[in-house]
Amino acid sequence: MKNKKDKDTLRAFIFGAIYASDSNKPIRIPMELTNLEYLDKIISGELRGISPALKIREWECSICHGDFELCPHQKGKVYDGIKCRRIVNDMEITDISIVDRSKMPRNRIFDLLIISKHNKKKSYIWHGFEVNVEMDRFTDIQNALNKKLIPEKAAHHFSKFFSVNQNGKITYP
Amino acid sequence: MIEKLWTLHFPYAEQIKADEKKKLIDDAILGFKSAGASEVGIVDTYYVSELSEAGMTTFVIVLSAIADVVSVAMAIRTILKSREKNSEILLETPLMKVRINANMSDEAIVKIVKEVSKTLEK
């Protein structure tokens, strides 16, 4: 009889970005996909958008860098040639939905990692989709390595592949 | 009657400033008190941004109160009447989020609050 720990498993992780405000600094999300029924739709491109719900406690003003609630500046108005933006300061993601296309197109899945375990051996499949900037892919691979989702050799293998291929699918071993 | 937490969402096209936020909280407390609720207190306030609805920010008030269903319904009606900028409030529980707008009848609001109340636990 197989030990519970030794049974064959399939896990999937999505990597992407969430732009929480007018800021250009995204929040990176490595997240385990709990419903594996979505896998095919993500791979086919039917579902690639990320739609998060955020709980925000504080906003910063891009003009005075103070609390946006307290400062006199208005979002969208131009002050001395600079457009006022509000920047999220203190937030938590309460929910993430995977949708066909997010209304904010930059919020989407860049990468999909599938880890399968068969007869105690793990194999890894990395799907690289369209990214916002070239470094997104390598950041995601590094994140996967930092979170010990992939071994160092796999990270190196994937990075090497994506240094010559913009998008695509690569397996390890 | 037991004390319950009521989570009220106020949708705004833009983020509100501190004076508007204070007035909204005061209106919410007053709405509950004038409808006969007791032990009314603010537990938490925050914003919710659902990025699928670009630009839409919701200000959320989590309020505790001892009140029956009719009082809560009347409180929501009173809050909506006192708020020119808010034509609707979303009432949230761990299981659902329902929309109550200013055009609804008292009976319809009571019915919604009754359903919401069943899913609430203190």
Side-chain angles (χ1 to χ4, degrees), chain B residues 96-120:
Chain B
M96 60 172 88
K97 200 192 269 181
V98 288
R99 209 174 283 267
I100 298 173
N101 68 55
N103 300 324
M104 283 179 173
S105 66
D106 289 351
E107 291 76 21
I109 298 176
V110 170
K111 206 174 165 187
I112 290 172
V113 174
K114 206 172 181 177
E115 288 307 309
V116 167
S117 181
K118 285 178 192 168
T119 69
L120 282 177

Side-chain angles (χ1 to χ4, degrees), chain A residues 88-113:
Chain A
V88 173
N89 238 357
D90 180 2
M91 58 142 274
E92 63 178 282
I93 298 170
T94 55
D95 180 54
I96 291 179
S97 306
I98 296 169
V99 295
D100 52 352
R101 254 186 203 92
S102 170
K103 285 194 178 166
M104 297 178 86
R106 291 192 298 177
N107 292 340
R108 61 170 192 269
I109 298 169
F110 300 147
D111 294 283
L112 171 69
L113 168 67

Side-chain angles (χ1 to χ4, degrees), chain A residues 18-20 51-57 59 68-75 86 103-104 107, chain B residues 13-19 21 44-57 59:
Chain A
I18 295 171
Y19 288 81
S51 176
L54 310 170
K55 190 187 265 192
I56 301 161
R57 296 198 180 272
W59 305 82
F68 194 86
E69 269 182 5
L70 301 170
C71 79
H73 303 110
Q74 297 290 331
K75 187 193 163 200
R86 55 180 191 175
K103 285 194 178 166
M104 297 178 86
N107 292 340
Chain B
E14 290 297 335
Q15 191 206 347
I16 56 178
K17 291 287 187 181
D19 50 350
K21 179 173 152 180
D44 197 6
T45 64
Y46 52 86
Y47 294 90
V48 166
S49 179
E50 311 239 3
L51 294 181
S52 57
E53 295 181 45
M56 184 57 77
T57 303
F59 182 65

Side-chain angles (χ1 to χ4, degrees), chain A residues 134 138 157-168 170:
Chain A
E134 203 182 327
F138 301 106
H157 184 66
F158 295 156
S159 297
K160 205 172 158 189
F161 174 82
F162 287 112
S163 61
V164 286
N165 298 283
Q166 210 174 358
N167 305 324
I170 175 83

